Amino acid sequence: MTRPLGSKPALCALAIAALAAPVAMAADGPSTGGAQAPPAPQTEGVIRAEGPQIALSTRAGAMLRKRARFRGTAAGAAGRTVTIERFDAGKQGWTAVADTTVKDDGTYVARWRTRHAGVFRIRAVLQAAGQATAASASPELAISVHRPAMATWYGPGFYGRTTACGVRMSRTLLGVAHKKLPCGTQVAVLYKGHRITVPVVDRGPFRRGTRYDLTAATAQALRFEHTDRLGAIRMRTTG
C-alpha cells in the first residue's frame, strides 16, 4: 500500500499536515488500531540512573559500530576507575565494555563501540581496589543499538484508507511499514538523536534499497523530511 513520498510536494504536505493536526484529529474519527500520535509527539532522549555512589546517563539509542557515550558523576571519587558493564545473557553475568577515570570535579565520560544490535542492560560500576559492591554500581539502564537502514515516509493521499495491517491511516498515526515484520511489532527508530518506538502498521516500502516507510506522524516526531539513512531495531530484549 505504501508509496515513498520523499519529494518536495510531499514535504509541503507534511508541513501542512503538522499545522492542521488538531483539526485532523477530529476529522479523521476513531482508528481501528495502531498508535495515535499526541498533538506534540514525544521522542525518547537521554536516560539517567542514580545510585548511592555513582550516577549514569546516556542516550536511549545508539548506532551499530558507533561509539555510545556514557556520562555521570561520582562525588569524592576523583582518580578512581569507572567501568561500564553490559549484562551478558549467555554467561548470565556482567561484562566490561568500557573503562574511564573520574575527573577532579567528580565527573566521568566513557565510550563503548557497539558490535551487536539489540537491547542491552547497562550499568556503571565505581571500582575500589579492583572490587565492586552493590552500592558502587548504578541502577541499570536499557539502551537499544540500532541497525542502519534506508527509509522513506508516506501518508498524504492515503488518509482514511485501511492499511495492510487493518489500521486506519491518518495524519496522527504513529507507525512504520515493513515488508516482513509481523503487524504490531514494536520498532525503535533513531534519527539524528531523536528516537521513538512505534508499531508496524503497514506493508512496504516498495522503493528499491529502502527498508522502512515512516508514517507522516512518525516522520514529524523524528524531524525526518526526506529519504535518508536512520537506525532501526525490533524491540526484544537480548540480555
Side-chain angles (χ1 to χ4, degrees):
M1 169 179 173
T2 66
R3 183 181 304 166
L5 296 174
S7 62
K8 289 184 178 179
L11 300 183
C12 293
L14 179 60
I16 293 171
L19 293 173
V23 176
M25 288 180 192
D28 288 338
S31 168
T32 58
Q36 292 296 323
Q42 298 295 310
T43 55
E44 301 172 27
V46 176
I47 52 178
R48 298 178 174 83
E50 296 277 348
Q53 296 184 22
I54 187 169
L56 170 68
S57 69
T58 187
R59 288 193 174 275
M63 290 294 290
L64 182 63
R65 298 187 183 89
K66 300 294 184 180
R67 292 186 184 276
R69 181 179 294 180
F70 303 90
R71 298 177 180 273
T73 57
R80 290 171 63 180
T81 298
V82 171
T83 302
I84 304 300
E85 297 182 338
R86 173 181 68 83
F87 188 78
D88 188 321
K91 298 179 180 178
Q92 285 297 297
W94 292 93
T95 299
V97 295
D99 291 297
T100 190
T101 302
V102 180
K103 300 176 183 177
D104 290 341
D105 63 359
T107 65
Y108 69 87
V109 179
R111 295 171 178 83
W112 168 40
R113 183 177 292 279
T114 60
R115 300 181 183 277
H116 304 282
V119 182
F120 299 97
R121 294 163 54 189
I122 298 291
R123 71 178 185 179
V125 177
L126 181 62
Q127 302 292 343
Q131 299 296 320
T133 66
S136 66
S138 72
E140 297 176 22
L141 292 177
I143 70 168
S144 54
V145 178
H146 302 245
R147 296 182 185 279
M150 290 299 295
T152 52
W153 71 270
Y154 75 112
F158 294 95
Y159 299 143
R161 299 186 187 182
T162 301
T163 71
C165 292
V167 180
R168 185 180 178 187
M169 175 59 68
S170 72
R171 292 178 177 85
T172 59
L173 181 70
L174 286 170
V176 296
H178 191 274
K179 292 180 181 179
K180 297 181 179 180
L181 288 177
C183 294
T185 299
Q186 294 293 314
V187 178
V189 186
L190 177 68
Y191 184 68
K192 294 184 177 179
H194 303 286
R195 183 178 179 273
I196 192 170
T197 301
V198 295
V200 173
V201 297
D202 204 355
R203 289 288 170 246
F206 300 112
R207 174 178 291 183
R208 195 171 190 178
T210 57
R211 188 171 299 175
Y212 291 92
D213 217 352
L214 315 180
T215 64
T218 303
Q220 182 183 354
L222 293 170
R223 296 171 174 79
F224 182 93
E225 298 180 345
H226 52 79
T227 301
D228 202 356
R229 187 179 300 275
L230 46 67
I233 184 69
R234 180 178 181 175
M235 292 300 288
R236 53 185 179 188
T237 303
T238 60

